[in-house]
Amino acid sequence: MTDRALRLVTRRDALRAATAVAGGMVWTRLFPRSFTQQPTAPPADHLAAFRAQIGAAPIQAHQLAENLTLLSGPGGNVVVLHGSDGKLVVDTFVQPAWPKLKEALAGLGSGPVHVVIDTHWHFDHADNNAPLHAAGATVVAHENTKQRLSERHHLAFLDLDTPPSPPNSLPQQTFTDSHSLSFGGETLALAHFPPAHTDTDIYVHFPRENVLHVGDIFFNGRYPFIDGSTGGAVNGMVAAADKALSLADKDTKIVPGHGALATKADLATYRDMLASARDRVQKLKSAGKSMAEAVAAKPLTDFEATWGKGKFNGDTFVQIVYTTL
């Protein structure tokens, strides 16, 4: 499907997509109540509607350093290293956001994008690999990202089916454990997290600017999505947070996959929530409780006001944790 076709997804299409799964706990959280209460309509392309909804968000720019900018909005957080040598981009938003991303990148200088780094395989972080590669950029990612992008997936908790990505959107350069990349007078450190949010997650460290992009192992201020279908696990999320904390100091600017720019203290608070949620759900599972019984026990009630404001509420997050233990 072309970018233009994605941009033309209408509100009626989105209503059809949402009503096709009205009553589903997760989808209800993903779309406003007004969407899920419409009359029944024929099924639509859930993935296109999901992309359109995310892609409608505006891009907001925040300067991290003289030559480093955070772009937030339609599908997480993008970091751009820019200067006389051109640009390096970490993550690329969803397809419908391409015109806005292209405009935002042009506003950071006339130099071309030479390097794109994917923090993991999910489409809201890698959707615009293809147009950036077509314009001359080399896409760098963990080797598992290339493999996962090449496959068809069903993301049950999002009720989404994703087809294999076209060849021109796949990474051209991959690594296994770690990778050092020099660009614009800066030497970046890239390294793989053991399976956490997925089995493709990496961090990107900008040591000179003391900025650390950790991708979706960190959802700041909300319960995260853990993709068990591609290797994600709650224990791995806790371990990844511990690893990221070891790389940071009190002044490090930590870029989460989703949510506001964070500090080490913010990440530590998130890590403790993850560990507590894991321990509480594990106790119920070890006692022989079914997933439905674990949800009914409401083990995350005291977390809800702080962490339940994103796409998932506590009941859904209990299910996510339960299935990845």
Side-chain angles (χ1 to χ4, degrees):
M1 182 178 292
T2 67
D3 288 341
R4 183 175 183 273
L6 286 168
R7 290 199 301 274
L8 291 177
V9 171
T10 65
R11 184 174 184 275
R12 184 180 179 186
D13 294 327
L15 291 175
R16 287 176 174 172
T19 55
V21 289
M25 182 184 300
V26 177
W27 195 256
T28 301
R29 295 286 296 177
L30 289 172
F31 283 89
R33 182 173 296 275
S34 60
F35 277 51
T36 60
Q37 290 179 337
Q38 299 299 317
T40 301
D45 184 341
H46 295 171
L47 182 59
F50 191 88
R51 277 182 163 125
Q53 189 222 14
I54 295 173
I59 293 177
Q60 298 179 329
H62 177 82
Q63 189 169 353
L64 301 174
E66 183 179 359
N67 64 337
L68 200 64
T69 299
L70 170 63
L71 303 176
S72 300
N77 291 313
V78 168
V79 170
V80 185
L81 179 63
H82 47 90
S84 58
D85 294 339
K87 303 181 186 78
L88 175 148
V89 177
V90 182
D91 286 348
T92 68
F93 292 143
V94 292
Q95 286 178 8
W98 170 241
K100 291 182 290 189
L101 175 59
K102 185 177 180 181
E103 181 180 3
L105 291 173
L108 296 175
S110 59
V113 176
H114 291 294
V115 180
V116 171
I117 301 171
D118 292 338
T119 61
H120 63 291
W121 80 267
H122 284 154
F123 63 86
D124 54 330
H125 297 261
D127 248 1
N128 289 305
N129 284 358
L132 288 165
H133 176 56
T138 297
V139 180
V140 180
H142 188 263
E143 61 185 7
N144 289 350
T145 295
K146 184 173 184 177
Q147 178 63 37
R148 295 301 191 184
L149 284 171
S150 303
E151 300 168 341
R152 183 178 302 276
H153 298 282
H154 175 66
L155 306 180
F157 278 97
L158 299 175
D159 193 33
L160 293 175
D161 292 288
T162 63
S165 298
N168 62 348
S169 69
L170 301 180
Q172 292 83 49
Q173 183 176 345
T174 62
F175 63 93
T176 303
D177 297 316
S178 61
H179 181 66
S180 180
L181 194 158
S182 294
F183 187 85
E186 169 78 284
T187 299
L188 283 63
L190 286 62
H192 181 232
F193 291 111
H197 172 66
T198 67
D199 62 8
T200 70
D201 307 305
I202 67 169
Y203 66 77
V204 183
H205 189 201
F206 300 82
R208 187 174 64 189
E209 290 84 5
N210 199 10
V211 170
L212 180 65
H213 195 321
V214 296
D216 276 7
I217 67 111
F218 184 17
F219 283 56
N220 191 16
R222 64 197 74 178
Y223 294 124
F225 174 46
I226 306 173
D227 184 4
S229 71
T230 56
V234 65
N235 283 320
M237 290 285 278
V238 175
D242 285 335
K243 175 61 178 178
L245 286 167
S246 74
L247 298 169
D249 59 39
K250 64 180 181 61
D251 298 317
T252 304
K253 296 175 182 177
I254 301 176
V255 179
H258 298 270
L261 184 67
T263 64
K264 184 175 183 178
D266 295 327
L267 178 57
T269 299
Y270 168 82
R271 182 264 177 215
D272 291 345
M273 178 278 293
L274 282 178
S276 293
R278 174 200 61 192
D279 293 347
R280 294 177 190 186
V281 176
Q282 182 66 75
K283 183 177 180 180
L284 293 166
K285 190 171 185 178
S286 297
K289 301 295 185 183
S290 67
M291 185 165 66
E293 289 170 331
V295 171
K298 301 290 184 183
L300 306 183
T301 299
D302 56 320
F303 289 161
E304 196 68 6
T306 300
W307 301 99
K309 299 175 182 177
K311 288 178 170 54
F312 304 120
N313 63 14
D315 288 350
T316 304
F317 192 56
V318 168
Q319 296 177 65
I320 291 172
V321 172
Y322 190 101
T323 59
T324 64
L325 280 170

